[in-house]
Amino acid sequence: MPSIIRALPFALVGPLPPALLSTLQDYRRLVNEVVREALSTGKTSRGSMSRFARDRAFALQLTGSHAVVASEIGLSLVRSHRRRLRLSPASRAPYVRRPFVRADRTTFHFDAESGKVRLSLRNGLWCSFQVKVAKYHRETLGAVGVRIKQLHVSPDRAVLLLEFSAPEPFRPTSLLALDTNEASLDGVTVSPGENHLATVAFPEVRAIQARHVHRRRHLARKKATDRRVGRRLLGREGRRERNRVRSRLHALSRRLIETAEFHHSAIALEDLTRMGTPRRRASRVRRPGAPRSRGLRRRLSSWPRRELHRQIAYKAAERGVPIYWANPYRTSITCPRCGEVKQPRSRVGPVFECPGCHWRMDRQLNAGVNIGGIVLRDYGRAELAGLRLDLDALSEEAMRPLYPFERSDGHGRSGGRGRDEFGPTGNRGHG
Ligand SMILES: [Zn+2]
């Protein structure tokens, strides 16, 4: 059974004790030393790096088992640096600036009732501090099969890393193929003998972003003479925006997964990590990034999409909902019926029109239909047998709301978050 790691963040009560703060600095130094040693000697084995880290930890008087974790963190930083180097020689050697400590289960004790954490710092020296524990934390920790794996402490918060086993993905009886756009997910639901166009609108995310762009401009103008204050205020605006967007996306991804579970449906999405590469096979795992053009990088960094996909992926894994990642290469300019590709440079308006067979469809829906087509082509004889994409049955007039069940059916957990941001398509404009 695959295991899932999940972070459970806690706010601190009061500042951390000075002894712990200096340990965070030493720990950061240790990780950087591991990185430097690994890069200069070319060593990659866990054994030799952990021996090196243990020696250094002895000199810094850090608890020995901290050294083991520090060497693993250092090595993983080096590994991703080497991976980046293969793609572009411009990758800078990693250097950790923020002080932190990552402690193994054996070196700390956490009391979920009182929120008290005891942590081993140096030989014979322990410290304790307090975190805020909410009902949500207790519920998460109390769930079946959850194990506390590690504790991550930085000057402003503490994070428990939890490990639990993921359920095996269920065998889907339908497919939900969606293209991710700025303000909606658009595509098609495919069940035996039935195809419908579907869309999930989240206009609020774009509205929040627009509002914050406006506010940031205003702030930047107003505080133009005081760079220091201006920068701090801008930073706070950015964090607020991120939190607001993120909580909307959480509500969205949670209900999407609940819907998929309810309908025994697999989900197909475009694999943003593979944009711009013409390899066409869909896959059950996302691939690490490939070199990208500048315009493509800008599009990808409109981060809500990746954040949304990240949330959908981990929530799906937790609930056993199978996910397929389709290469989005040309999905919005390919005709799903005859396979004709509009020349990449020719502008595609809001409606895709096939020059070959005169197929017509909303461009975003068309991309979703193509994602469904790719996944069914690759998996239609295997896990997705019995599902067929019937293009002639699709009609934009008969578009289905994606959430045809009420939340009172017992499938939703408590927190109905008030506003329903993805009702039927008729709601697209609200918000
Ligand atoms: Zn066509």
Side-chain angles (χ1 to χ4, degrees):
M1 230 181 231
S3 70
I4 296 179
I5 306 287
R6 183 158 155 201
L8 186 63
F10 292 85
L12 302 175
V13 180
L16 294 174
L20 176 53
L21 286 174
S22 78
T23 306
L24 302 187
Q25 288 291 2
D26 287 345
Y27 193 85
R28 174 186 77 96
R29 223 163 278 150
L30 181 59
V31 171
N32 284 330
E33 283 178 18
V34 169
V35 169
R36 226 171 298 144
E37 173 78 5
L39 287 177
S40 64
T41 61
K43 282 180 189 162
T44 51
S45 84
R46 287 174 64 174
S48 62
M49 281 328 291
S50 126
R51 264 194 305 283
F52 168 81
R54 272 174 184 283
D55 289 346
R56 292 300 305 146
F58 186 74
L60 292 163
Q61 296 181 308
L62 280 172
T63 303
S65 37
H66 287 341
V68 179
V69 185
S71 73
E72 278 163 16
I73 294 174
L75 271 179
S76 85
L77 287 174
V78 169
R79 263 198 304 276
S80 43
H81 169 61
R82 291 205 174 108
R83 207 178 302 130
R84 281 197 305 273
L85 271 183
R86 277 202 297 275
L87 300 172
S88 131
S91 174
R92 286 233 302 258
Y95 181 79
V96 185
R97 286 192 171 75
R98 273 171 66 78
F100 77 103
V101 66
R102 179 84 59 89
D104 231 12
R105 211 165 24 182
T106 50
T107 54
F108 71 95
H109 177 255
F110 172 71
D111 181 22
E113 279 312 305
S114 64
K116 190 175 166 185
V117 184
R118 265 171 57 77
L119 173 63
S120 162
L121 302 180
R122 302 162 195 279
N123 301 330
L125 177 63
W126 286 64
C127 80
S128 63
F129 59 96
Q130 194 78 29
V131 296
K132 281 182 203 150
V133 184
K135 192 169 150 230
Y136 162 73
H137 292 118
R138 295 207 180 92
E139 278 171 9
T140 308
L141 288 166
V144 184
V146 169
R147 295 173 299 278
I148 295 180
K149 197 174 148 60
Q150 286 176 330
L151 170 74
H152 183 103
V153 186
S154 58
D156 57 352
R157 63 177 186 164
V159 182
L160 280 181
L161 297 171
L162 309 177
E163 187 178 30
F164 52 97
S165 7
E168 285 297 333
F170 57 72
R171 205 190 158 92
T173 54
S174 60
L175 176 71
L176 192 52
L178 297 166
D179 179 51
T180 313
N181 296 294
E182 262 186 290
S184 56
L185 296 164
D186 308 273
V188 62
T189 65
V190 184
S191 45
E194 233 184 307
N195 283 202
H196 290 282
L197 291 175
T199 188
V200 190
F202 44 95
E204 282 181 305
V205 169
R206 192 161 57 181
I208 292 169
Q209 287 186 322
R211 194 155 57 226
H212 280 266
V213 164
H214 189 76
R215 248 187 236 172
R216 266 200 300 273
R217 289 219 182 106
H218 177 72
L219 266 178
R221 252 201 321 272
K222 213 171 143 198
K223 296 290 173 196
T225 47
D226 190 342
R227 305 258 320 252
R228 193 177 51 90
V229 172
R231 200 177 301 148
R232 210 179 59 216
L233 289 175
L234 284 176
R236 195 176 66 186
E237 273 301 302
R239 274 194 302 282
R240 277 186 175 166
E241 173 185 355
R242 260 196 304 284
N243 290 341
R244 276 180 198 150
V245 168
R246 196 169 276 196
S247 87
R248 297 301 192 287
L249 296 182
H250 270 301
L252 172 70
S253 56
R254 192 186 66 224
R255 288 192 57 183
L256 184 66
I257 295 300
E258 282 170 1
T259 305
E261 207 180 12
F262 183 81
H263 292 287
H264 269 267
S265 183
I267 296 177
L269 297 169
E270 80 269 36
D271 186 351
L272 294 174
T273 63
R274 282 199 291 166
M275 275 177 95
T277 49
R279 200 175 337 115
R280 296 301 293 271
R281 232 185 109 75
S283 106
R284 293 297 309 276
V285 287
R286 282 182 292 173
R287 315 267 164 122
R292 297 178 185 124
S293 75
R294 194 159 151 256
L296 200 51
R297 280 202 303 271
R298 181 174 48 76
R299 261 185 82 199
L300 290 176
S301 71
S302 68
W303 68 276
R305 293 218 254 182
R306 299 201 90 168
E307 171 62 14
L308 180 62
H309 282 193
R310 185 191 70 80
Q311 291 182 6
I312 293 174
Y314 89 77
K315 286 174 194 181
E318 283 177 17
R319 302 288 199 93
V321 174
I323 292 220
Y324 297 89
W325 301 98
N327 188 337
Y329 186 65
R330 290 179 171 172
T331 44
S332 60
I333 52 164
T334 301
C335 172
R337 184 188 274 152
C338 69
E340 174 107 13
V341 179
K342 270 201 169 182
Q343 280 310 300
R345 298 227 175 263
S346 77
R347 272 194 55 192
V348 185
V351 174
F352 171 85
E353 277 190 83
C354 176
C357 71
H358 304 292
W359 163 265
R360 247 178 89 85
M361 182 162 281
D362 173 275
R363 185 175 50 88
Q364 302 184 345
L365 286 167
N366 190 61
V369 170
N370 276 321
I371 288 170
I374 291 169
V375 169
L376 285 177
R377 186 196 61 203
D378 291 345
Y379 293 90
R381 286 167 210 277
E383 301 109 280
L384 299 175
L387 298 180
R388 214 173 67 78
L389 194 57
D390 182 5
L391 294 170
D392 294 314
L394 298 176
S395 123
E396 291 185 50
E397 280 73 49
M399 181 137 52
R400 278 269 176 102
L402 205 48
Y403 303 97
F405 63 96
E406 288 297 311
R407 284 179 62 77
S408 53
D409 62 9
H411 267 260
R413 276 169 303 181
S414 57
R417 275 203 113 95
R419 266 167 299 181
D420 182 6
E421 56 242 56
F422 30 86
T425 50
N427 282 0
R428 243 188 210 229
H430 99 111

